[in-house]
Amino acid sequence: GEAIGDPDPRGERIVDDSYYVLFNAHHEGLRFVLPKENWGKEWTMVLNTAATRAEEEQESHKAGEEVGVEARSLKVLRRVT
């Protein structure tokens, strides 16, 4: 998102949403720690391949928080702030 260093063809700054992908190929669930606040203070779930209900994808997480990822699945988080 905001960390894109190269300008577009017109020389203008490129800005987009920032995402964080948590990928677990292991046969057991794993816990990941989100990056510090300088990368984003809050993250919201946009995709969880292990979710069984739509409301499970609405969870949000703070910087530095641990996030569990089920076995053989992934979560995509979008930076909110």
Side-chain angles (χ1 to χ4, degrees):
E2 291 183 20
I4 299 171
D6 297 329
D8 68 10
R10 296 180 181 173
E12 297 177 10
R13 184 170 181 243
I14 300 171
V15 179
D16 198 356
D17 289 337
S18 293
Y19 293 92
Y20 198 74
V21 179
L22 305 168
F23 181 79
N24 180 8
H26 192 59
H27 67 276
E28 295 178 347
L30 295 176
R31 304 217 36 98
F32 294 84
V33 177
L34 293 178
K36 297 178 181 179
E37 284 189 14
N38 57 331
W39 292 99
K41 294 180 182 179
E42 186 177 358
W43 300 83
T44 187
M45 185 85 58
V46 292
L47 176 67
N48 178 2
T49 61
T52 57
R53 296 178 292 177
E55 57 268 12
E56 289 183 17
E57 293 185 16
Q58 302 301 316
E59 63 188 64
S60 63
H61 303 278
K62 304 283 186 206
E65 187 176 314
E66 282 193 8
V67 178
V69 180
E70 296 295 322
R72 297 184 177 102
S73 67
L74 66 89
K75 288 185 178 182
V76 178
L77 307 176
R78 181 180 49 84
R79 187 179 69 188
V80 177
T81 58

